[in-house]
Amino acid sequence: MDCCDIKSSIGSSVKGKKLVLAGNPNVGKSIFFHALTGSYVTVSNYPGTTLDINRGTFGKYIVSDTTGVYGVSSFNDEERIARDEIISADCIVNVVDSCRLERDLFLTLQIIDMGKPVILALNMMDEAEKASLSLDIQRLESELGIPVIPTAAVHRKGLQQVKSEVVNARAGRSTLSCTAELKRLEEKTGSRASALLILEGDTETAEKYGLAPMGMRDTIYRERRQRVDSIVEAVVSRTGTTEKHLGTVIGGLMVRPLTGIPILLGLFYLLYQFIGVFIAQTVVGFTEGTLMGEWYEPLVRTGIEKVFSEGTIPWSYLSGEFGLLTMTVTYLIGLLLPLVVGFYFFLALLEDSGALPRIAVLTDRSLTSLGLNGKAVIPMILGFGCVTMATITTRLLDSSREKFIAVFLLGLTIPCSAQLGVIAGLIAPLGLTYFLVYGAIILTLYILLGTLLNRVLPGSSSDLFIDLPPLRFPGIGNVLRKTGLKSIGFIKEAGIIFLIGSAVITTLQLTGALTWLQRGLRPITENFLGLPGEASRAFLMGIVRRDFGAAGLYDLAMTPVQTLTALVVITLFVPCIAAMMIMIKERNWKQAVVIWAGSWIIAFLVGGAINGVTSWL
Amino acid sequence: MTLSSVRSGDTIIISDIFDKCAEIKAIRFGIQRGARVRCIYNTRRGPIILGKENQEIALGRGLAEKILVTRERG
């Protein structure tokens, strides 16, 4: 109940003052964060959620960069974090898109209504000029009652002025009509910001103070909307017509299926060339083959063997087949890291250019029949990079139901890049028909399972309701920074899990459980799937490393049909141990077990079906 | 009529939004009940793209069927 608790859980020191950057998505907040704090960014996990906040220092201020939100509330994790950060802030820098004031000022007014000291960075003034918009800055300042600084952050204009105006942050002009109720609640809670949220009906804030949430959100929101509209009317004027430029034209082509789908296919082809060819073969060939294979591993092995002799238990854990310091590190740094960096880079390009929301529009219709919406296209694409990475990304989906469907489909049907290379190598010699049949089987299962889950699971999924930012050239600095931050974040999160997973597998191996499992699996593999018995080892290896699983099939002599069966089974089979553990973290035990068991059953049933159908033909 | 049956290029006024969460988002975006918006593009079986001032907002078809609008003539 102590409001100071919030402050300490966010980790702000007693001495420093807290500065929070707030604003809608895609307004350029991160450039301001960078300008204020310099190059060092500490990414800290917000307690109780799975989202990160960037923190840094600016003079005597501790700066927090929040995720872009359109408003403050308890609707989802992003808004909760923004809510807590803003409530506990000593001053706020609100960044807005000067071309979209009718949208961005809503959050501004909410912050002003909360009574927090704030300054407004009127960003993207360069784009406003191009769009023939003229803004009466003085009028805006007097309407809002706070300092307003015009900026064009991407060209480093106005940043210095923002830095010097931070000290002048003040509570702005609030014109809400419910002043009596607001005052009453403020007296009870000691915080005007919390009082406003309780008035708006925020249950979590109300609970913190042991009060009942009030139902005034509708009234307050409508008043606020009217005020935004009248301010915009007074402040913004058009001095000419907006010219259509290339970005508008391409943006328009992207959302129309006739032109959009070819563009999408073109993007997939680029992705394939960049990741599948350049990274997966050239880069990984170097990092895994040369760097790790020829330099790192021999060095580490010699080092370990000086302390623990070969064959001993500590040696097995550190340097054995699934050694924590050998295979696991090689896998993480040699194979996964380049792939993850490549995918996050591609994703950042799509995000910052504005292409991603348009891809979501194109794919929305197909995804709704699977109980998802266009937003799910992001984890689906990332799944081809690393299913573990994609599972983390399902956080951006709105409902629990959608998250489960997405994670299920990811875990079962999407082959990650580690596997894809080996699968391609095994199926290519069999010719185009086999490749198409493999693809068709996996795709059919994806659609079937998604549709089934959508029919069977209770509740309903959320509809697409997103903003389409203008299509623009992505700023390379921002793209690289996002890529770096996300990749480091992934290594930190998944790294630990891979290490734990390897230790678990080594334990199974040492206790003989692995051999016992293999023996148990052989009859099913031979009789039901019609494959050589050794394939069962490959399946079990797939639990540790997806590419181990596929690679284990290389040395087996198999007919084309057997190869097809084996590859389908290995694709559908259980997600790797890292993906499983992330699944438990992101969803829960029950759901992870359902997915795990489900994939066993479905993989073997489908494999058995292929065997059955082909023997009958 | 529902938003899902609006023609590309039409100017419409939002009359009702039968989805609580969507209504809140709509007020924040400025496309709430009573707002005048343009239909930039209706993808026929997919999302509908609305325009308000410089904003472009995409709404899924399922949601568009829960929003009532009136077409503005002229």
Side-chain angles (χ1 to χ4, degrees):
Chain A
M1 299 283 179
D2 185 3
C3 62
C4 292
D5 272 345
I6 309 175
K7 208 161 191 165
S8 53
S9 74
I10 296 173
S12 68
S13 83
V14 182
K15 275 188 249 164
K17 282 185 148 203
K18 188 164 171 173
L19 191 162
V20 172
L21 279 164
N24 284 195
N26 287 310
V27 294
K29 270 188 282 88
S30 32
I31 308 182
F32 282 89
F33 181 80
H34 213 58
L36 287 171
T37 62
S39 47
Y40 260 96
V41 164
T42 51
V43 181
S44 47
N45 209 273
Y46 190 77
T49 72
T50 46
L51 291 173
D52 299 324
I53 310 178
N54 295 334
R55 292 202 207 283
T57 47
F58 167 60
K60 60 174 167 17
Y61 291 99
I62 295 175
V63 182
S64 297
D65 182 13
T66 57
T67 333
V69 289
Y70 297 109
V72 167
S73 70
S74 313
F75 298 150
N76 55 46
D77 282 347
E78 288 103 345
E79 296 198 14
R80 278 193 198 93
I81 296 179
R83 174 198 68 197
D84 289 345
E85 291 291 302
I86 290 175
I87 290 183
S88 63
D90 292 300
C91 79
I92 298 170
V93 173
N94 178 211
V95 184
V96 297
D97 182 343
S98 53
C99 296
R100 277 114 146 257
L101 285 180
E102 73 276 0
R103 184 196 69 185
D104 288 39
L105 285 182
F106 191 89
L107 177 62
T108 313
L109 287 187
Q110 191 173 24
I111 295 174
I112 290 179
D113 289 338
M114 286 164 86
K116 303 299 296 186
V118 56
I119 69 172
L120 192 75
L122 198 56
N123 202 18
M124 296 166 166
M125 288 299 287
D126 51 328
E127 296 197 7
E129 199 181 315
K130 282 194 209 141
S132 307
L133 290 176
S134 155
L135 300 169
D136 188 348
I137 309 229
Q138 249 134 325
R139 180 70 187 267
L140 187 58
E141 266 190 348
S142 66
E143 289 281 347
L144 297 176
I146 59 176
V148 173
I149 304 108
T151 61
V154 81
H155 299 300
R156 332 268 330 144
K157 288 202 181 127
L159 296 174
Q160 197 47 51
Q161 219 189 327
V162 167
K163 284 187 189 178
S164 42
E165 283 291 326
V166 167
V167 285
N168 296 328
R170 54 180 179 267
R173 256 185 80 221
S174 171
T175 61
L176 288 179
S177 56
C178 51
T179 38
E181 290 96 330
L182 202 57
K183 219 180 178 96
R184 189 175 55 86
L185 282 169
E186 190 178 349
E187 277 159 22
K188 279 200 188 167
T189 60
S191 153
R192 175 171 166 136
S194 304
L196 177 74
L197 287 174
I198 297 175
L199 213 58
E200 284 187 5
D202 187 86
T203 34
E204 290 182 21
T205 313
E207 270 169 27
K208 266 203 174 76
Y209 294 96
L211 297 168
M214 316 220 16
M216 297 199 63
R217 178 177 291 125
D218 260 4
T219 328
I220 294 178
Y221 264 46
R222 284 182 200 286
E223 266 187 54
R224 198 175 282 146
R225 169 46 48 195
Q226 272 177 326
R227 188 171 172 212
V228 172
D229 287 345
S230 63
I231 293 178
V232 170
E233 169 122 34
V235 166
V236 182
S237 49
R238 256 174 209 285
T239 56
T241 49
T242 326
E243 320 131 17
K244 271 199 169 207
H245 53 165
L246 195 63
T248 335
V249 175
I250 301 181
L253 290 175
M254 279 193 80
V255 291
R256 285 154 173 75
L258 216 64
T259 42
I261 294 184
I263 296 179
L264 188 61
L265 291 176
L267 284 173
F268 281 152
Y269 179 69
L270 275 171
L271 182 66
Y272 165 69
Q273 282 296 331
F274 178 54
I275 306 272
V277 178
F278 175 60
I279 295 207
Q281 289 163 36
T282 321
V283 177
V284 171
F286 172 68
T287 52
E288 199 181 17
T290 320
L291 205 67
M292 303 309 271
E294 292 173 27
W295 283 63
Y296 173 77
E297 273 200 40
L299 206 71
V300 164
R301 278 226 167 81
T302 343
I304 294 176
E305 269 151 34
K306 286 206 172 100
V307 184
F308 303 109
S309 13
E310 188 170 341
T312 56
I313 293 188
W315 178 89
S316 301
Y317 275 100
L318 294 176
S319 185
E321 193 173 355
F322 312 107
L324 293 171
L325 295 180
T326 52
M327 183 223 84
T328 314
V329 176
T330 303
Y331 188 46
L332 212 53
I333 312 284
L335 179 66
L336 276 195
L337 187 61
L339 289 169
V340 163
V341 167
F343 261 90
Y344 275 139
F345 179 74
F346 200 77
L347 187 71
L349 281 178
L350 290 179
E351 266 177 346
D352 281 14
S353 61
L356 203 55
R358 289 174 170 80
I359 295 176
V361 168
L362 274 174
T363 53
D364 187 57
R365 180 175 141 228
S366 333
L367 288 169
T368 32
S369 43
L370 306 176
L372 301 169
N373 69 44
K375 284 167 94 171
V377 80
I378 301 169
M380 292 302 158
I381 295 179
L382 287 181
F384 287 96
C386 172
V387 166
T388 311
M389 168 171 86
T391 309
I392 297 175
T393 316
T394 55
R395 287 172 197 166
L396 59 80
L397 299 175
D398 300 306
S399 70
S400 215
R401 181 184 199 258
E402 284 161 74
K403 289 178 189 171
F404 176 70
I405 297 179
V407 171
F408 189 95
L409 292 176
L410 276 169
L412 249 98
T413 60
I414 309 241
C416 61
S417 13
Q419 276 180 293
L420 272 176
V422 187
I423 291 178
L426 279 165
I427 214 160
L430 304 181
L432 188 65
T433 334
Y434 275 91
F435 173 65
L436 290 175
V437 171
Y438 167 78
I441 296 177
I442 303 294
L443 185 66
T444 314
L445 272 162
Y446 178 80
I447 298 174
L448 224 73
L449 288 170
T451 318
L452 191 70
L453 283 175
N454 189 25
R455 295 266 167 91
V456 164
L457 290 178
S460 56
S461 299
S462 55
D463 292 300
L464 192 69
F465 193 157
I466 56 173
D467 166 65
L468 299 181
L471 218 57
R472 47 163 83 99
F473 248 103
I476 200 68
N478 208 33
V479 166
L480 289 175
R481 208 178 17 86
K482 272 194 193 182
T483 311
L485 275 179
K486 286 214 170 114
S487 305
I488 296 175
F490 172 76
I491 295 294
K492 274 194 203 168
E493 267 201 86
I496 314 257
I497 286 175
F498 276 113
L499 290 170
I500 298 177
S502 299
V504 167
I505 295 289
T506 311
T507 314
L508 287 179
Q509 189 185 39
L510 291 177
T511 54
L514 209 59
T515 338
W516 178 83
L517 277 168
Q518 262 168 246
R519 258 191 280 130
L521 210 54
R522 271 186 93 109
I524 308 178
T525 313
E526 283 178 357
N527 305 324
F528 191 56
L529 300 178
L531 299 174
E534 293 80 23
S536 56
R537 183 164 205 273
F539 296 148
L540 287 174
M541 292 302 101
I543 300 182
V544 190
R545 276 176 69 150
R546 303 303 290 160
D547 56 338
F548 265 13
L553 301 171
Y554 256 126
D555 313 312
L556 303 177
M558 290 193 291
T559 67
V561 170
Q562 283 180 318
T563 312
L564 177 70
T565 316
L567 289 180
V568 168
V569 171
I570 210 128
T571 307
L572 299 173
F573 198 51
V574 296
C576 71
I577 207 153
M580 281 312 306
M581 295 179 93
I582 288 273
M583 234 176 254
I584 297 175
K585 182 180 174 207
E586 293 290 321
R587 309 305 315 136
N588 55 51
W589 275 101
K590 243 179 39 180
Q591 290 188 6
V593 167
V594 165
I595 294 175
W596 199 82
S599 66
W600 268 93
I601 300 172
I602 293 174
F604 279 89
L605 277 180
V606 174
I610 300 176
N611 185 27
V613 165
T614 47
S615 352
W616 174 81
L617 280 174
Chain B
M1 56 194 271
T2 59
L3 181 59
S4 50
S5 42
V6 172
R7 277 192 318 231
S8 309
D10 279 354
T11 303
I12 54 176
I13 305 216
I14 312 278
S15 339
D16 238 314
I17 302 177
F18 292 109
D19 182 319
K20 252 305 164 186
C21 288
E23 195 171 9
I24 292 172
K25 275 179 157 172
I27 299 180
R28 288 175 176 175
F29 279 138
I31 58 174
Q32 75 288 353
R33 237 188 301 142
R36 178 193 285 118
V37 302
R38 305 185 312 275
C39 170
I40 294 181
Y41 187 58
N42 185 336
T43 64
R44 249 172 288 127
R45 275 182 285 182
I48 285 95
I49 301 173
L50 296 179
K52 170 110 194 267
E53 312 280 338
N54 279 324
Q55 288 187 76
E56 276 189 35
I57 302 157
L59 290 91
R61 185 146 285 265
L63 178 56
E65 316 233 294
K66 299 185 209 157
I67 299 178
L68 290 181
V69 303
T70 55
R71 199 173 342 136
E72 198 179 70
R73 305 216 168 260

